[in-house]
Every structure is written in structure tokens, then in C-alpha cells.
């Protein structure tokens, strides 16, 4: 068994050395991007793999999980009383004050979507998170918040830019390797 592990390690060693050189050259790049560059033009067992690839995950599972409303966890929630007029539903308990809920919503959305980019591209006019999904009861708002097909073009343009960046970074790595440089100068990764 040890001989098999050693043989596998010897096949992966060049990719791992490239990965370490890339890590030193560009410490701000994420691990997946560095591995993608190090694996360019490598096949099969020569490719560097993360734990998630070895476990046959296409991409790593999320680091965080959904908030659970399980009653057994209710004692762990920080409770705040939100007071509203009776016609809007009256008082209820919340996991945080309304301002923090809006900040959390803004943070969650901003991690997934670059709203300022959508505004700059003319797809969105403004952005502000809604404090409840009841606001979508109005069909006019629901139609206004529907998916816009122009997002697909932006996403495709970004994917092409990342693919081009990966190829360029792999070429820079090859050039630095032929010149005998320990570090290589990798261009900045395109932002979404």
C-alpha cells in the first residue's frame, strides 16, 4: 500500500510544486484557482486534487449551513420584540433587532450578487433588501424583481474572462519555470 501511495505522490509532485510556487507568488488567490492553474495541461493521476475532489465532490460543500428554526434550538436564539401596528401583524419575536436583520440580508445578498455591478450595467436601478417576503405579494413588485435575461450575458462574459485568465496564468507559470524563477507574476483574477 505504501508503495502505491509513494508512486501516486511522485506523479502529483510537479503539480504540487507548481501550486506552492503559485501560493507564494499570489497569496490572495483562492485555493481552487491556484489548483486549476497548476493542473493546466496535466491529465489523470498527474493532477493535484483537494480532499473534496478525492471524495468526488464537484465543488466543496458550503462552509455555512441554513439557519434552523428547529424548536429544540430556540433557547439559543437571541430574542428581540418587534412592535408593529396590529394591521401589519402586531408584535412578534425576532432573532435580532430589525436593523441587524436588514444588515444580515444585505450581507447575504452581497456575497452572492455584486449589486453595484448590476447597477453599473443598467440591469438594476437601485438595491435595498426587503425586511419580509410579504412585500412580494404585490404583483407589480414581483414582476419588477423578476430575472433579467441580460444577467446570462454578464455571467457568460465573466466565465470567459476567468477561463482566459487561467490560461494566461498557466502560461506565466510555464515561462517562469523555463527561466528558472521561483516566483511568477500572475495577473489579477477577474472579479465577478
Amino acid at each position: 500500500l505504501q508503495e502505491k501511495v509513494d508512486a501516486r505522490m511522485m506523479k502529483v509532485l510537479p503539480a504540487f510544486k507548481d501550486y506552492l510556487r503559485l501560493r507564494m507568488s499570489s497569496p490572495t488567490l483562492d485555493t481552487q484557482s491556484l489548483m486549476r492553474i497548476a493542473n493546466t495541461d496535466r491529465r489523470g493521476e498527474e493532477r493535484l486534487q483537494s480532499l473534496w475532489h478525492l471524495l468526488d465532490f464537484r465543488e466543496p460543500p458550503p462552509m455555512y449551513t441554513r439557519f434552523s428554526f428547529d424548536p429544540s434550538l430556540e433557547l439559543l436564539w437571541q430574542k428581540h420584540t418587534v412592535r408593529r401596528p396590529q394591521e401589519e401583524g402586531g408584535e412578534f419575536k425576532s432573532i435580532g433587532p430589525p436593523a441587524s436583520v436588514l444588515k444580515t440580508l444585505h450581507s447575504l445578498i452581497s456575497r452572492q450578487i455584486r449589486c453595484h455591478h448590476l447597477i453599473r450595467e443598467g440591469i438594476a436601478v437601485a438595491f435595498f433588501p426587503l425586511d419580509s417576503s410579504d412585500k412580494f405579494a404585490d404583483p407589480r413588485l414581483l414582476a419588477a424583481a423578476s430575472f433579467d435575461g441580460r444577467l446570462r450575458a454578464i455571467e457568460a462574459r465573466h466565465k470567459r474572462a476567468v477561463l482566459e485568465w487561467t490560461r494566461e496564468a498557466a502560461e506565466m507559470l510555464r515561462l517562469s519555470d523555463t527561466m528558472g524563477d521561483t516566483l511568477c507574476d500572475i495577473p489579477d483574477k477577474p472579479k465577478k
Side-chain angles (χ1 to χ4, degrees):
L1 179 66
Q2 186 62 44
E3 289 172 1
K4 285 183 180 180
V5 171
D6 290 344
R8 164 91 171 104
M9 200 59 214
M10 292 310 292
K11 289 179 183 176
V12 175
L13 191 60
F16 186 64
K17 285 180 179 178
D18 286 347
Y19 169 81
L20 291 177
R21 285 181 42 222
L22 289 166
R23 174 57 76 204
M24 290 187 318
S25 299
S26 304
T28 58
L29 279 178
D30 61 292
T31 305
Q32 295 296 323
S33 297
L34 294 172
M35 285 178 61
R36 194 176 313 122
I37 296 167
N39 284 333
T40 303
D41 298 333
R42 289 196 166 89
R43 296 175 192 233
E45 291 186 353
E46 297 174 356
R47 296 175 65 87
L48 191 59
Q49 293 185 336
S50 69
L51 170 68
W52 305 114
H53 289 114
L54 291 171
L55 295 174
D56 288 331
F57 281 86
R58 274 202 167 166
E59 57 186 53
M63 288 190 277
Y64 303 100
T65 186
R66 290 177 164 249
F67 180 78
S68 172
F69 287 100
D70 186 353
S72 65
L73 300 174
E74 193 171 344
L75 295 173
L76 303 175
W77 300 346
Q78 184 178 6
K79 295 183 182 125
H80 295 271
T81 302
V82 178
R83 292 178 177 80
R84 294 189 303 185
Q86 197 60 36
E87 56 271 5
E88 289 184 21
E91 280 188 6
F92 68 94
K93 296 283 185 188
S94 171
I95 59 170
S100 72
V101 172
L102 283 177
K103 285 180 182 177
T104 303
L105 279 172
H106 184 276
S107 169
L108 288 170
I109 292 168
S110 296
R111 282 190 210 139
Q112 303 296 320
I113 301 168
R114 300 186 107 195
C115 296
H116 65 278
H117 181 68
L118 296 178
I119 292 168
R120 189 177 65 235
E121 291 281 334
I123 292 171
V125 178
F127 165 71
F128 188 80
L130 298 173
D131 59 348
S132 75
S133 59
D134 298 335
K135 301 280 194 309
F136 283 107
D138 182 356
R140 291 173 299 173
L141 181 61
L142 187 58
S146 295
F147 182 77
D148 189 332
R150 291 176 288 180
L151 290 173
R152 285 194 185 102
I154 292 172
E155 185 66 26
R157 190 169 50 218
H158 175 69
K159 283 182 180 177
R160 283 192 303 273
V162 169
L163 182 62
E164 182 61 34
W165 169 81
T166 303
R167 289 180 183 146
E168 190 178 329
E171 184 61 32
M172 296 295 285
L173 179 65
R174 263 192 243 94
L175 282 173
S176 71
D177 201 23
T178 57
M179 293 180 184
D181 292 340
T182 313
L183 302 177
C184 61
D185 191 24
I186 295 177
D188 291 335
K189 184 177 181 181
K191 295 196 187 293
K192 204 168 194 179

